[in-house]
Amino acid sequence: MVAVVFPGQGSQYAGMGKEFYHAYPEVREVFEEASDRLGIDMAKLCFEASEEELKLTENTQPSILTVSYAIYRVVEGILGEVAFFAGHSLGEYTACVASGMMSFGDAVYAVRRRGQFMQEAVPPGEGAMAAVIGLAPEVVEEVCSQVDGVVEPANYNSPEQVVIAGKAEAVEKASELLSKRGAKRVVPLKVSAPFHCSLMEPAARKLKEVLDGMDFGDARVPVVSNVLATEVVEGDRERELLIEQVVSPVRWYQSVLYMRDRGVDTFVEVGPSRVLSGLIRKTDRRLKVLNVEKPAQLPKLEGLR
């Protein structure tokens, strides 16, 4: 069984999707729809923007969604049956579009606003995130609960990597304690805000207003929710979960295990970079993982029909 997964923030790079754009008219259609909906030149943003410009979360989120979904439009004609869709953080919106829960136009507008809301929720410099490597998730949770101030698990990326987020001083204190508890490394992340923690509450409230005004249908193929790490089919429930997702940890490796335990043995990552492919391998090395970000990688999907 095959699951298709879509990347989140951090996977962007200048030139992403360019080869697909020039090779496939359906890819250009997706880019044009994004440009029309947002009033920006999406191709120029993805292909020519500086790293700094692409790193602005209000640009990062719609650009990754556009590239990932545009490539999926090509991939879906090659792949056979898909058992599940899932995505990491903003990648869950791509999963919702692929599954038929959201229209692409609504999704690209929603993530543009989501990026703005998340950026505005915490003043620059007040929040921080750090990746904790080589320590059990339960230990990370325990240490975070002992620190004064807001610091919480934000991404459960693999059984050996948990990202924490919160107030800068609380994240720094937790990082020191986690190193003492035996973490192999604690790496501060270059992010513009502390995503997926309770400090994002203002962003969740504003996002609710946007998503409440959009139509959500039921999924043709189940989407595995970041919040629950279980499948969702009802559109109205998924809308609630996307709002909750902003202030909740991304349960990525638990989502991978959920799909594996229901028969998925092959994961296809569609979109820029190979971040999720690496995390899936770290979760269970027996799983087959393929990624598609350039047309030259399409032939390896032929055997999955």
Side-chain angles (χ1 to χ4, degrees):
M1 285 169 69
V2 175
V4 174
V5 297
F6 300 102
Q9 201 154 313
S11 296
Q12 72 276 2
Y13 58 86
M16 58 180 177
K18 192 172 185 178
E19 290 175 40
F20 269 104
Y21 180 88
H22 290 303
Y24 293 93
E26 60 266 49
V27 171
R28 292 193 289 277
E29 279 171 23
V30 173
F31 272 79
E32 283 160 19
E33 185 178 349
S35 298
D36 290 346
R37 185 67 194 261
L38 301 181
I40 60 174
D41 185 335
M42 185 55 79
K44 192 174 179 187
L45 177 63
C46 290
F47 308 155
E48 298 173 26
S50 67
E51 187 185 340
E52 287 307 307
E53 201 179 343
L54 258 185
K55 233 167 49 179
L56 288 170
T57 187
E58 65 189 65
N59 290 334
T60 314
Q61 299 201 25
S63 62
I64 291 176
L65 171 70
T66 299
V67 172
S68 300
Y69 181 61
I71 296 172
Y72 176 71
R73 286 283 305 276
V74 178
V75 166
E76 71 178 331
I78 300 168
L79 274 183
E81 193 176 335
V82 174
F84 297 101
F85 289 113
H88 192 289
S89 189
L90 91 93
E92 189 169 338
Y93 287 79
T94 323
C96 287
V97 178
S99 74
M101 275 184 174
M102 292 183 84
S103 72
F104 171 71
D106 278 354
V108 79
Y109 177 78
V111 299
R112 171 80 161 180
R113 301 296 285 148
R114 177 182 185 264
Q116 291 165 342
F117 299 153
M118 290 168 89
Q119 190 60 65
E120 293 162 0
V122 179
E126 285 193 15
M129 299 182 77
V132 183
I133 297 155
L135 208 55
E138 307 78 53
V139 179
V140 178
E141 291 164 359
E142 181 196 329
V143 169
C144 285
S145 71
Q146 293 167 350
V147 173
D148 287 337
V150 178
V151 56
E152 301 158 5
N155 300 340
Y156 292 90
N157 283 335
S158 77
E160 292 233 318
Q161 189 201 107
V162 178
V163 174
I164 59 173
K167 287 278 191 184
E169 58 276 16
V171 170
E172 192 179 335
K173 179 65 179 167
S175 298
E176 290 169 18
L177 293 172
L178 288 161
S179 295
K180 286 177 185 166
R181 288 293 295 269
K184 286 180 190 165
R185 281 188 298 152
V186 181
V187 184
L189 300 181
K190 290 178 187 170
V191 291
S192 52
F195 305 127
H196 296 290
C197 73
S198 57
L199 296 177
M200 288 287 116
E201 190 60 50
R205 285 197 302 272
K206 292 176 186 172
L207 182 64
K208 182 179 190 305
E209 291 176 20
V210 172
L211 295 183
D212 280 351
M214 293 178 170
D215 290 329
F216 278 70
D218 290 347
R220 294 188 294 269
V221 171
V223 170
V224 178
S225 154
N226 285 181
V227 174
L228 303 175
T230 58
E231 65 192 90
V232 180
V233 175
E234 302 81 15
D236 287 340
R237 179 67 179 126
E238 178 61 20
R239 179 197 282 114
E240 293 170 359
L241 289 165
L242 287 176
I243 297 161
E244 211 177 308
Q245 187 216 57
V246 178
V247 292
S248 304
V250 173
R251 298 186 183 279
W252 182 251
Y253 85 82
Q254 297 94 325
S255 298
V256 171
L257 295 177
Y258 178 87
M259 292 182 269
R260 180 203 69 184
D261 292 347
R262 276 144 195 83
V264 171
D265 53 13
T266 303
F267 287 82
V268 179
E269 179 178 7
V270 177
S273 301
R274 296 193 293 271
V275 173
L276 299 185
S277 299
L279 296 178
I280 292 165
R281 287 193 184 98
K282 284 179 179 145
T283 299
D284 186 341
R285 295 204 172 274
R286 296 167 300 177
L287 295 168
K288 184 176 182 181
V289 186
L290 305 169
N291 80 294
V292 182
E293 59 180 320
K294 296 186 184 301
Q297 295 162 323
L298 291 171
K300 58 189 179 184
L301 301 181
E302 295 288 353
L304 300 180
R305 274 188 178 281

